[in-house]
Amino acid sequence: MARRGDTLELAVLGLLHENPLHGYELRKQLNLVLGWGRVLSYGSLYPALKKLSKAGLIVEDVAPVTPRAAAPGGAAPVSRRQRITYRLTPAGDERFAKLMSDAGPSTWEDDNFDVRFAFFGRTDAPIRLRILEGRRARLEERLSQVRADLDRSQVRDTYARELKRHGVESVERELVWLSDLIAAERGEPTAAPPDAPASP
Amino acid sequence: MARRGDTLELAVLGLLHENPLHGYELRKQLNLVLGWGRVLSYGSLYPALKKLSKAGLIVEDVAPVTPRAAAPGGAAPVSRRQRITYRLTPAGDERFAKLMSDAGPSTWEDDNFDVRFAFFGRTDAPIRLRILEGRRARLEERLSQVRADLDRSQVRDTYARELKRHGVESVERELVWLSDLIAAERGEPTAAPPDAPASP
DNA sequence: GTTAGCATGTAAGGAGTTACATGATTTT
DNA sequence: AAAATCATGTAACTCCTTACATGCTAAC
């Protein structure tokens, strides 16, 4: 059962799904995927990798780093420095597919939407569609709830109201974006064809 | 020093800053303030309240609940049910002011922007301005970073690119919103005067 | 030669979640 | 009479952060 914090696990599996990587490089890629200023600490990454390793989802290949400045003299240019490269096992592959397709609790799906979307290229069309539609449904539900709160004057403070109002606007825009993506995913023609990834 | 997770503390202090509340009601208000689907569990709330109580920032007033259905006969309508009402101490008041005005690490400021904004009515104009400008500065920095990543093709996947592109767009819109608010806060005339809280 | 980046970890602790536990009151 | 909502908590656990610790290699 998908728990809340499987975001990191999902992101790691997703990145290793195509290329094996070592921790340091993995972290840089993760910072791009997890996005928007979130910077992952090594104190999170390495224990997480050990955990995945123990669970049999990834394996470690220890190898010395090839030095960039090759010795011109003659001896094989092998440095003392070790590097641990991680790659997916079949079990890890399965787990990735499961995490991508699982419905899970809505908080989990929300927290992971960005990561899942970033890995859309590694999944099938039906799953993509399900994820997009799930996201749309959840956003719509919240939107109506926030709108109801605003109408019922649950939110009294002027600034708090302004914040919600702005929030409602951006969610409305995200819904348009989602609907376009869903249409493109279904092969339907979009009203305004911007630079949506309809023809990759 | 403001740590990452002081969000809940800030929200509790902010809500109690005007009205004393008991836990159950507090939670409902918190769900409105923390916003966008986040639902606080009692397992978080009550321990947090105990902690604040121990720290001397709030005090508990225990009292029986007045039953809604008053006994028509005669005896005083007092139920067996106890309710704990929390209110701020002067120390709590200070702490709230400090959390509102503190700069703190940028991750903290980011995580708490919404909550701080929601409590703008409980703070002074200079602090409001600092918070807004801080937020704008951080968003601009990230924006340029993400744009740089996109240009340098750090992001290869089509979907990942689309996600970033959409992210950039919404951040750009948030920046416009922020700039309008800052202008209003400074008393400058906005280009397009929508329903910004210029004249409450 | 010294700074910046590469590379991997451990220890302590904070914040919050889920699941469990209990019971009173109001509404249908 | 049953269901929903009010009301307050505890225990175990997970995830992640900060701070610490170490040393290699490339670039200036």
Side-chain angles (χ1 to χ4, degrees), chain B residues 99-110:
Chain B
L99 284 178
M100 283 298 277
S101 57
D102 250 25
S106 63
T107 57
W108 184 81
E109 289 194 73
D110 261 337

Side-chain angles (χ1 to χ4, degrees), chain B residues 150-166:
Chain B
L150 281 173
D151 288 347
R152 267 183 289 138
S153 296
Q154 291 270 351
V155 189
R156 281 176 214 86
D157 188 284
T158 317
Y159 287 103
R161 287 190 75 83
E162 171 62 17
L163 183 66
K164 298 272 178 199
R165 198 197 55 71
H166 176 250

Side-chain angles (χ1 to χ4, degrees), chain A residues 22-24 28 42-43 46 50 81 83-84 86:
Chain A
H22 58 273
Y24 192 86
K28 285 203 292 187
Y42 295 115
Y46 287 109
K50 288 277 170 243
R81 193 151 151 203
R83 192 151 62 172
I84 303 176
Y86 299 91

Side-chain angles (χ1 to χ4, degrees), chain B residues 3 5 12 14 16 21 23 30 35 40 76 78 84 89 93 102-103 107-108 125 136 139 149 171 175:
Chain B
R3 286 180 316 280
V12 168
L16 297 182
L21 292 167
L30 281 169
L40 191 70
V78 171
I84 304 176
T89 62
D93 220 89
D102 250 25
T107 57
W108 184 81
R136 182 167 63 174
L139 283 186
D149 287 346
V171 170
L175 281 170

Side-chain angles (χ1 to χ4, degrees), chain A:
Chain A
M1 200 174 296
R3 287 181 315 280
R4 182 162 203 279
D6 289 332
T7 314
L8 182 55
E9 180 180 342
L10 174 60
V12 168
L13 297 179
L15 284 173
L16 296 181
H17 190 259
E18 300 217 313
N19 320 304
L21 291 168
H22 58 273
Y24 192 86
E25 178 63 25
L26 189 53
R27 177 181 174 254
K28 285 203 292 187
Q29 301 288 326
L30 281 169
N31 287 340
L32 287 176
V33 163
L34 297 172
W36 291 111
R38 210 183 139 185
V39 173
L40 192 71
S41 61
Y42 295 115
S44 306
L45 178 60
Y46 287 109
L49 288 173
K50 288 277 170 243
K51 198 185 130 208
L52 292 175
S53 201
K54 262 184 203 160
L57 304 180
I58 60 177
V59 284
E60 312 178 346
D61 299 320
V62 183
V65 177
T66 340
R68 209 163 297 178
V78 172
S79 79
R80 246 182 312 262
R81 193 151 151 203
Q82 299 283 309
R83 192 151 62 172
I84 303 176
T85 303
Y86 299 91
R87 66 187 152 79
L88 278 197
T89 61
D93 221 89
E94 253 177 74
R95 174 77 179 153
F96 173 67
K98 203 191 164 215
L99 284 178
M100 283 298 278
S101 57
D102 249 24
S106 64
T107 57
W108 183 81
E109 288 195 73
D110 260 337
D111 286 353
N112 292 327
F113 175 76
D114 280 16
V115 176
R116 295 222 252 177
F117 189 91
F119 294 137
F120 262 24
R122 292 149 160 88
T123 332
D124 307 328
I127 290 173
R128 292 202 289 264
L129 204 51
R130 202 196 309 161
I131 291 172
L132 290 172
E133 283 170 343
R135 172 77 169 174
R136 182 166 65 173
R138 287 191 311 277
L139 283 185
E140 266 165 1
E141 201 203 312
R142 299 248 182 81
L143 192 57
S144 67
Q145 207 179 306
V146 173
R147 276 206 267 245
D149 288 345
L150 280 172
D151 288 348
R152 267 183 290 140
S153 297
Q154 291 270 351
V155 189
R156 282 175 211 85
D157 187 285
T158 316
Y159 288 104
R161 287 191 75 82
E162 170 62 18
L163 183 64
K164 298 273 178 196
R165 198 198 54 72
H166 175 251
V168 165
E169 262 185 30
S170 21
V171 170
E172 282 169 347
R173 263 190 289 261
E174 184 167 350
L175 281 170
V176 171
W177 179 68
L178 280 172
S179 292
D180 283 353
L181 286 172
I182 289 169
E185 206 67 51
R186 283 195 186 122
E188 295 165 13
T190 4
D195 39 6
S199 46

